[in-house]
Amino acid sequence: MKKRTKLLIACASLVTVVAAGLFGAGLYFYKVAVVPAPKSFLSKPQRIKPSSPLYPAHRWYQGVHKQRWHELSATGHLKLDANYISADQPTNKTAVVAHGFMGNKDKMFQYAYLFHQLGYNVLLPDARGHGDSQGNYIGYGWPDRLDYVKWIKKVIARKGPDSKIVVFGTSMGGATTMMVSGVKNVPKQVKAYIEDCGYTNVSDEIAYQAKQLYHLPRFPLVGIVSAINWVKNGYTFKEASALNQVKKNRRPMLFIHGAHDHFVPTKMVYPLYKADKGPKQLLIVPGRGHARSYQNHPKLYTETVKKFLNRYLD
């Protein structure tokens, strides 16, 4: 009897130690994945040289007049920040541009330039927890989707009910764009979506990065981090699904992905494209790197976006 009791105590102790270790690992990777802070696995921004294809856009963005817009988050307790750039000629067309993971509005300068060249007003929000917006966690597009609906409504309130709006985003912003597309009662003034290298859902993307960066399996770590996120921020990683959202979409969407993307793997775009229920187009851009399709092939990128918008906004 004493031996059995000792064995049970030893087993219970082992389970406690393992559980404590897993929870500790979960808290560590929660900080890595969800807490806004510099990330060692992200490439450091490089200086834009005059020889870079991004140089004209960067130079333009530095000098163009920007209005500061503010909005409260959908939950009502966070102050959000954005830059608004008017088109050179008065227009009712506006592009709402969503940035990527640990990015900000200013890092989207090349896309602001692209839409400005096409004659659009441009609104560049900072997602919660990024740039000049308040927040202590990265939402991966899920809570942000409702914030962007508020930004869309602000555009309509300021620019008029005849507004024609395209929502655009890259990486996390691409996922945000797709998540917006499935929100019920998105204003009718949103005429189209363009997503560039967004992921299927947060669970898949974090599991992929855990394997790529740390050689860790999905189970049980991703589930533990997701549970911590649910307790702290109110949503699970599987719930945060761009794939499920595009199934609800009926408006035009352009899907763009680099042919050799190893941060959000290229293979993710195919189920997203297939699941979307609206008019759609897919562009796979030759070249390597994540969120570099515009930089790798600016002419192809611009012409594709231009033709898509001409079809659905003009």
Side-chain angles (χ1 to χ4, degrees), residues 95-167:
V96 178
V97 176
H99 64 75
F101 180 85
M102 290 311 303
N104 59 55
K105 56 184 177 289
D106 294 330
K107 291 182 179 179
M108 300 299 282
F109 65 88
Q110 66 267 47
Y111 305 106
Y113 178 75
L114 184 157
F115 286 108
H116 186 266
Q117 291 292 101
L118 295 178
Y120 283 69
N121 308 308
V122 185
L123 179 67
L124 302 125
D126 281 332
R128 55 177 67 189
H130 292 73
D132 296 312
S133 289
Q134 294 178 342
N136 60 3
Y137 69 94
I138 299 166
Y140 284 94
W142 189 245
D144 312 276
R145 77 196 193 284
L146 302 179
D147 298 340
Y148 275 83
V149 171
K150 292 194 72 175
W151 284 118
I152 289 163
K153 290 180 178 178
K154 183 175 282 288
V155 170
I156 297 166
R158 293 198 177 187
K159 306 307 295 182
D162 64 338
S163 292
K164 295 181 179 181
I165 297 170
V166 55
V167 182

Side-chain angles (χ1 to χ4, degrees), residues 6-312:
K6 288 181 179 179
L7 180 61
L8 289 172
I9 292 173
C11 289
S13 298
L14 180 61
V15 169
T16 301
V17 169
V18 171
L22 288 172
F23 182 70
L27 285 175
Y28 172 79
F29 282 105
Y30 173 85
K31 291 181 180 179
V32 171
V34 182
V35 176
K39 308 296 181 184
S40 60
F41 54 84
L42 295 178
S43 300
K44 293 182 179 180
Q46 296 180 342
R47 188 172 70 88
I48 308 298
K49 299 179 180 179
S51 59
S52 169
L54 300 181
Y55 183 76
H58 186 259
R59 185 176 180 183
W60 165 82
Y61 187 79
Q62 296 304 308
V64 72
H65 176 69
K66 309 171 191 70
Q67 298 177 24
R68 295 292 291 274
W69 285 18
H70 296 100
E71 182 59 271
L72 290 177
S73 64
T75 49
H77 68 289
L78 297 174
K79 187 177 180 180
L80 306 177
D81 189 273
N83 280 343
Y84 176 82
I85 301 170
S86 295
D88 286 338
Q89 301 296 326
T91 181
N92 64 344
K93 297 187 295 185
T94 301
V96 178
V97 176
H99 64 75
F101 180 85
M102 290 311 303
N104 59 55
K105 56 184 177 289
D106 294 330
K107 291 182 179 179
M108 300 299 282
F109 65 88
Q110 66 267 47
Y111 305 106
Y113 178 75
L114 184 157
F115 286 108
H116 186 266
Q117 291 292 101
L118 295 178
Y120 283 69
N121 308 308
V122 185
L123 179 67
L124 302 125
D126 281 332
R128 55 177 67 189
H130 292 73
D132 296 312
S133 289
Q134 294 178 342
N136 60 3
Y137 69 94
I138 299 166
Y140 284 94
W142 189 245
D144 312 276
R145 77 196 193 284
L146 302 179
D147 298 340
Y148 275 83
V149 171
K150 292 194 72 175
W151 284 118
I152 289 163
K153 290 180 178 178
K154 183 175 282 288
V155 170
I156 297 166
R158 293 198 177 187
K159 306 307 295 182
D162 64 338
S163 292
K164 295 181 179 181
I165 297 170
V166 55
V167 182
F168 169 92
T170 62
S171 193
M172 185 182 81
T176 304
T177 297
M178 291 184 282
M179 291 172 183
V180 169
S181 78
V183 174
K184 189 176 182 180
N185 297 325
V186 171
K188 65 181 181 180
Q189 287 85 352
V190 175
K191 304 300 182 183
Y193 301 97
I194 302 174
E195 78 84 21
D196 183 345
C197 61
Y199 38 79
T200 49
N201 62 58
V202 179
S203 182
D204 288 347
E205 178 60 16
I206 290 181
Y208 174 81
Q209 292 301 331
K211 183 177 181 180
Q212 291 291 111
L213 298 173
Y214 303 102
H215 309 290
L216 293 171
R218 177 190 289 262
F219 180 84
L221 188 62
V222 175
I224 293 170
V225 179
S226 178
I228 295 170
N229 189 70
W230 178 74
V231 171
K232 286 179 170 287
N233 305 319
Y235 72 94
T236 67
F237 291 160
K238 282 193 175 181
E239 179 185 2
S241 173
L243 185 63
N244 288 339
Q245 290 296 96
V246 295
K247 292 177 182 177
K248 307 172 190 175
N249 178 47
R250 298 296 184 274
R251 304 182 203 192
M253 187 174 299
L254 171 59
F255 296 82
I256 303 172
H257 219 105
H260 301 283
D261 188 335
H262 300 297
F263 193 81
V264 175
T266 306
K267 66 182 181 180
M268 283 192 177
V269 75
Y270 299 109
L272 290 164
Y273 177 75
K274 183 178 179 180
D276 186 80
K277 302 301 183 184
K280 55 191 175 182
Q281 181 179 345
L282 174 62
L283 173 66
I284 302 298
V285 180
R288 297 185 176 276
H290 176 62
R292 290 177 62 90
S293 291
Y294 176 83
Q295 184 173 345
N296 288 341
H297 292 277
K299 185 175 180 180
L300 170 65
Y301 198 105
T302 301
E303 286 302 312
T304 303
V305 168
K306 181 180 179 180
K307 290 178 181 178
F308 178 80
L309 294 178
N310 287 346
R311 186 181 309 151
Y312 295 112

